[in-house]
Amino acid sequence: MILNYLLKPWITKNVPNINILNLTLNSKNIKNNSLFFSINGYLEKGSKYIQESINNGSIAIIIETENIYEHGKIINNKIPIIFFYKLKIFISEISGRFYNNPSNKLNLIGITGTNGKTTVSYISSQLINLINKYNKSAIIGTLGNGIIPNLIETKNTTDSPIDLQETLYKFYKNNIDTVFLEVSSHSILQNRIKNLKFKYTVFTNISHEHLDFHKNMFSYKKSKYKLFNEYKVINSIINVDNKFGKKISNKIKCTSVSLFKKIYIKCRSIYVNIKKIKFIKYKSYLEIIINNIKYNILLNFIGYFNVNNFIISLVTLIELGYKVNDIIKVSSLINLPPGRMEIIKFNKIDIIIDYAHTPDAIINILLTIRKICIGKIWCIFGCGGNKDKLKRPIMGKLAYKYSDYVILTSDNTKNENINDIINDIIKYINYKNNINIIIDREKAIKFSICNSNKYDIILILGKGHEKFQIIGNDLFNFSDKEIVLKLINKL
């Protein structure tokens, strides 16, 4: 696309006729005919990377300015540098224009919430791909981007605005019809999704998380609400079993989802009523009444929170126009995402790997496992460094209360002292019996496997699907699942 055409809605004078083939925010990721966006981050100015982008071959640069009078100013050296007022706010729109606004041509569903985003998107996409052999569904989120299971790994839950638009463009070109996008609170406030056209928005729940960024729950909730207040959609699907979800439902047009109340999907004139939920070992048996017809559903996972995620997915697909019978037929074929209650069996011991890294997620999984465990529960976890410190003692207290044995270990400590993290976790625990501190995560996992007994359940929490561990500024290969498989093969 020609640069002066790309920027025409914002800058009309003196923009050169340069053919742009790529957009980037990363000065190290310069391809042929790249336009580099130099924006100011939270810790440093983007202008320090301009020379690097030029050295790497960028053919034009847009630099962010906070001075409105500099907007449209162009420094014409060999490489034009164009000043753009409050650039961060407009990158989604500029990149949308570059990629011909692909979200307008897709069924784009935005899913937000503290927990459950990945599971709802994963379940929903699986259901569509099992039902529909022609118009495939894809996901964008924590696990990566693409059609399950062939996902391309990403660094963030929600990509940069440029990467999002490019990914959606590729999906559209590859005849993908429906996309489930995990929307983080950070991405909402940082305008990463600003120019996206959602058909539906979904709310799973909200609980204590990210207070290092948001400072308090009020600000955190406010950021989530923006997805439902500022984006025009066909409808929203809201989990009203969560208190904040109930508040959202009272303010907007939506379908309210609950495990305990009748659900009315107005656009399809369909009533859904969950009559019975029963857990037997690691399966859930549901009895659901839909428009006076009884359906029995078998799910390959347990937990009220996971059943809730399934019902949100069910309602979302009905909203999208899928037939109830088609959805029910394939429901027994779906699985949870990797690293979400992923079970490995060894000598009548169950080892469960899960991504739970918030107080709400920890209590949900512990209460669920308590219902089926006839032995002892082992809980292995740590907390990430340079992140929300207020949740640490809450997680520690919950793990101590609902587990028989707790092993505190390292997570992604980053640049924080591991001993400080551990001290935060045990802050509110008066009696430390049944708590072991084993900093080396592999040794912590080995200790639990070697010391557990028949019918015990070992929970390894916090990292889930992740294949790395961050200590200091270094990233090491580390997978809880691979470590477990390695250890049990040796024992």
Side-chain angles (χ1 to χ4, degrees):
M1 183 176 287
I2 303 302
L3 183 59
N4 64 2
Y5 176 78
L6 176 63
L7 298 181
K8 194 172 183 179
W10 305 278
I11 302 172
T12 58
K13 295 180 179 179
N14 303 322
V15 179
N17 291 321
I18 297 173
N19 189 27
I20 302 296
L21 298 180
N22 296 285
L23 309 179
T24 184
L25 285 160
N26 188 340
S27 57
K28 293 179 172 60
N29 187 30
I30 304 296
K31 299 176 184 176
N32 290 338
N33 290 53
S34 282
L35 171 63
F36 173 61
F37 292 87
S38 172
I39 62 171
N40 297 325
Y42 291 98
L43 300 175
E44 56 190 8
K45 286 186 175 291
S47 55
K48 67 179 287 186
Y49 296 103
I50 286 176
Q51 189 57 52
E52 183 178 42
S53 78
I54 293 171
N55 294 343
N56 288 335
S58 61
I59 61 169
I61 294 162
I62 302 180
I63 185 170
E64 185 168 43
T65 178
E66 296 300 317
N67 183 351
I68 193 169
Y69 297 107
E70 285 188 329
H71 181 73
K73 175 184 173 184
I74 301 174
I75 299 175
N76 270 306
N77 295 321
K78 290 182 180 179
I79 305 296
I81 299 173
I82 303 164
F83 287 73
F84 200 115
Y85 179 62
K86 294 191 180 295
L87 177 60
K88 277 194 291 284
I89 297 173
F90 296 94
I91 292 179
S92 179
E93 200 170 344
I94 296 169
S95 51
R97 183 172 168 83
F98 181 81
Y99 288 107
N100 200 20
N101 295 311
S103 64
N104 294 350
K105 304 158 193 170
L106 296 164
N107 288 322
L108 181 63
I109 295 94
I111 305 169
T112 199
T114 305
N115 301 308
K117 297 187 295 297
T118 300
T119 301
V120 169
S121 66
Y122 201 85
I123 288 174
S124 300
S125 191
Q126 281 182 95
L127 287 170
I128 288 177
N129 291 344
L130 286 165
I131 294 167
N132 196 331
K133 295 180 180 179
Y134 302 104
N135 294 326
K136 287 290 184 181
S137 164
I139 63 172
I140 298 176
T142 306
L143 298 177
N145 304 336
I147 298 174
I148 299 166
N150 302 312
L151 303 177
I152 299 170
E153 291 184 12
T154 55
K155 290 183 179 179
N156 299 313
T157 297
T158 314
D159 276 336
S160 76
I162 294 172
D163 290 338
L164 276 175
Q165 297 283 6
E166 183 181 10
T167 299
L168 292 172
Y169 173 77
K170 288 177 179 177
F171 285 169
Y172 173 70
K173 287 294 184 182
N174 283 288
N175 298 316
I176 289 169
D177 180 67
T178 303
V179 179
F180 295 92
L181 169 63
E182 293 181 47
V183 180
S184 69
S185 56
H186 293 67
S187 72
I188 296 170
L189 292 182
Q190 293 170 356
N191 300 294
R192 290 184 231 162
I193 62 164
K194 190 173 180 65
N195 193 50
L196 298 185
K197 178 67 176 176
F198 295 100
K199 291 288 196 313
Y200 295 89
T201 48
V202 177
F203 174 81
T204 58
N205 54 67
I206 199 165
S207 63
H208 188 129
E209 177 68 323
H210 301 307
L211 298 195
D212 54 314
F213 181 80
H214 295 287
K215 307 307 179 188
N216 55 62
M217 285 301 294
F218 176 80
S219 296
Y220 183 32
K221 290 175 180 178
K222 188 177 176 182
S223 70
K224 293 289 191 187
Y225 182 59
K226 281 176 174 286
L227 183 63
F228 305 96
N229 185 44
E230 297 182 1
Y231 291 81
K232 291 182 180 179
V233 295
I234 294 171
N235 198 19
S236 294
I237 296 95
I238 307 294
N239 173 25
V240 296
D241 290 341
N242 181 270
K243 287 182 180 179
F244 187 63
K246 181 67 177 173
K247 286 184 178 180
I248 294 174
S249 72
N250 291 330
K251 294 180 179 180
I252 65 167
K253 172 195 167 189
C254 69
T255 297
S256 298
V257 175
S258 172
L259 293 183
F260 312 106
K261 296 177 182 178
K262 190 177 286 188
I263 302 163
Y264 179 48
I265 305 169
K266 187 176 180 180
C267 68
R268 308 294 173 193
S269 298
I270 289 177
Y271 286 94
V272 179
N273 195 9
I274 295 92
K275 300 296 289 184
K276 188 185 292 184
I277 300 171
K278 188 177 182 181
F279 303 131
I280 299 179
K281 199 54 177 173
Y282 293 112
K283 293 188 182 292
S284 301
Y285 294 86
L286 278 59
E287 184 181 302
I288 300 178
I289 307 296
I290 301 178
N291 280 8
N292 298 319
I293 300 173
K294 185 170 83 170
Y295 295 90
N296 293 311
I297 301 173
L298 171 67
L299 298 174
N300 296 315
F301 44 81
I302 59 169
Y304 285 106
F305 61 100
N306 277 325
V307 172
N308 185 257
N309 290 330
F310 169 76
I311 296 300
I312 292 171
S313 299
L314 171 71
V315 171
T316 302
L317 262 67
I318 293 172
E319 289 271 357
L320 283 165
Y322 287 89
K323 294 178 181 178
V324 171
N325 285 337
D326 291 340
I327 302 170
I328 303 300
K329 279 180 187 176
V330 299
S331 293
S332 63
L333 302 176
I334 60 172
N335 296 299
L336 290 178
R340 270 60 173 183
M341 289 195 75
E342 192 166 355
I343 304 160
I344 299 171
K345 292 182 176 290
F346 174 68
N347 288 351
K348 295 191 176 180
I349 297 164
D350 290 346
I351 303 164
I352 299 177
I353 296 166
D354 194 86
Y355 194 52
H357 60 280
T358 68
D360 191 56
I362 279 197
I363 194 169
N364 277 335
I365 193 167
L366 284 170
L367 290 178
T368 296
I369 296 307
R370 179 59 70 192
K371 289 179 185 294
I372 63 165
C373 183
I374 58 175
K376 302 292 185 183
I377 296 177
W378 294 70
C379 182
I380 305 169
F381 81 103
C383 287
N386 308 124
K387 282 192 169 185
D388 189 347
K389 296 181 180 182
L390 296 177
K391 71 177 182 180
R392 295 173 184 172
I394 303 170
M395 291 167 66
K397 200 169 183 179
L398 290 171
Y400 181 74
K401 183 176 181 179
Y402 294 105
S403 308
D404 297 294
Y405 303 104
V406 177
I407 302 176
L408 299 180
T409 188
S410 59
D411 196 295
N412 297 321
T413 55
K414 297 182 180 175
N415 296 111
E416 196 170 351
N417 188 301
I418 182 60
N419 294 314
D420 293 338
I421 295 173
I422 298 293
N423 287 332
D424 284 342
I425 295 172
I426 61 176
K427 187 176 180 180
Y428 296 150
I429 302 173
N430 295 322
Y431 303 100
K432 309 296 192 297
N433 45 321
N434 293 342
I435 293 183
N436 284 287
I437 298 171
I438 305 174
I439 302 301
D440 185 297
R441 194 172 178 94
E442 182 172 350
K443 290 179 179 177
I445 294 169
K446 183 177 181 179
F447 180 87
S448 69
I449 295 172
C450 291
N451 289 279
S452 55
N453 297 306
K454 191 180 357 179
Y455 306 126
D456 285 359
I457 295 179
I458 299 170
L459 296 174
I460 306 172
L461 306 181
K463 293 183 64 57
H465 64 285
E466 290 180 353
K467 296 178 181 177
F468 59 84
Q469 188 171 26
I470 306 170
I471 299 174
N473 294 319
D474 298 317
L475 191 140
F476 300 93
N477 290 330
F478 192 100
S479 161
D480 284 345
K481 182 178 181 179
E482 289 176 8
I483 292 297
V484 169
L485 293 174
K486 182 181 79 171
L487 290 171
I488 63 177
N489 283 333
K490 289 182 178 179
L491 295 173

